[in-house]
Amino acid sequence: MASIANAVVPGQRLGHVQEYSAGPGTYSHQDFLYASVVGIKKIIESQGELPTLTVQRENSQSAMPEIDAIVTCKVVRVNPRFAAVNIMVVGETPCKDDFQGIIRVQDVRATEKDKVKIYNSFRPGDIVRAQVISLGDARSYYLSTASNELGVIFGTSVAGGSLIPISWQEMQCTKTKAIELRKCAKPM
C-alpha cells in the first residue's frame, strides 16, 4: 500500500474518474475528482481496483457537542436555577475549543424535579457526565443528568479530599469521612 502526499485546497482538481476512485475529502464533478477540504492529497493503491484519492485534514477538528451526545464537563458556578459548566470531552474526544453548558434545575433528575436543589446536586469544581439535550441559546448548550449513568463522576470535598459515591445522592470525603450531597453518576 503506497501513498503520495500533496497539499490541496477545496475545488482543486485532483484527477480523472477513469484513473482514480473518490475517497474521503473528495468529490466528482463532470468526470473529474476535486478536493472538498483543505488538507493533504493521498493516493492509496489497492490491488485489482483503481487507486483511491483522499484528502486528509492536517489538524483534526475539535469535538463538537451534538444533541444526545454524552459529554464530560466541569462545574464552574452554581445558582438556584442552574449549574454552569465548561464542556471538556465529547464522547471520547477531548475538546480543543471552549464550550459552555448549563444544567437547569429541571434537568438534574427524571423524578421529583420540584424537590431538586442545584447546590445539593453540584458544586464548583465537580466533574460531571451529562447528555446534551438541546443546542440551547447563543452562549450555552443545555445538558441533562436525568439518567442513572449521568451525574457527578469526580468531586472534591470542602476539606479538600476526594469524594467517593456511596449512594445516588451522597458522596463521602476520603479524608474526613464527611458526607456531602451530590447527584452521583452510576459507575459504568
Side-chain angles (χ1 to χ4, degrees):
M1 194 150 114
S3 66
I4 303 167
N6 293 322
V8 295
V9 296
Q12 184 173 339
R13 188 186 293 183
L14 303 175
H16 201 276
V17 293
Q18 292 177 341
E19 299 170 355
Y20 303 102
S21 60
T26 66
Y27 66 94
S28 63
H29 179 68
Q30 296 180 347
D31 295 332
F32 288 97
L33 294 175
Y34 296 88
S36 61
V37 295
V38 174
I40 304 297
K41 171 182 149 182
K42 295 192 184 256
I43 301 170
I44 301 169
E45 304 286 344
S46 56
Q47 294 178 346
E49 296 177 17
L50 289 174
T52 303
L53 262 177
T54 64
V55 177
Q56 294 179 336
R57 295 176 187 217
E58 282 191 88
N59 297 329
S60 61
Q61 292 289 322
S62 176
M64 287 281 295
E66 297 174 354
I67 293 176
D68 292 332
I70 301 299
V71 297
T72 305
C73 44
K74 182 176 186 176
V75 177
V76 290
R77 68 183 176 279
V78 295
N79 73 34
R81 293 178 293 124
F82 62 86
V85 300
N86 285 339
I87 298 171
M88 302 181 303
V89 179
V90 177
E92 304 277 323
T93 310
C95 295
K96 293 180 183 170
D97 301 319
D98 291 334
F99 297 107
Q100 277 72 49
I102 59 172
I103 304 170
R104 300 174 299 179
V105 69
Q106 65 264 33
D107 298 324
V108 172
R109 62 181 191 223
T111 59
E112 298 178 326
K113 294 180 182 189
D114 55 328
K115 295 182 181 178
V116 173
K117 292 192 179 356
I118 288 288
Y119 197 71
N120 290 340
S121 302
F122 309 107
R123 300 277 173 91
D126 286 352
I127 306 299
V128 176
R129 184 184 306 124
Q131 182 175 23
V132 178
I133 55 172
S134 134
L135 301 181
D137 56 22
R139 294 181 299 274
S140 300
Y141 289 89
Y142 287 162
L143 308 176
S144 170
T145 56
S147 174
N148 290 343
E149 303 81 36
L150 305 175
V152 177
I153 54 176
F154 177 80
T156 306
S157 71
V158 176
S162 295
L163 292 171
I164 55 171
I166 56 174
S167 76
W168 70 272
Q169 63 181 1
E170 293 177 328
M171 295 183 100
Q172 187 173 33
C173 176
T174 55
K175 273 186 179 177
T176 64
K177 305 299 182 212
I179 293 174
E180 295 187 17
L181 296 174
R182 297 288 200 282
K183 195 299 183 179
C184 301
K186 183 178 177 183
M188 295 177 84

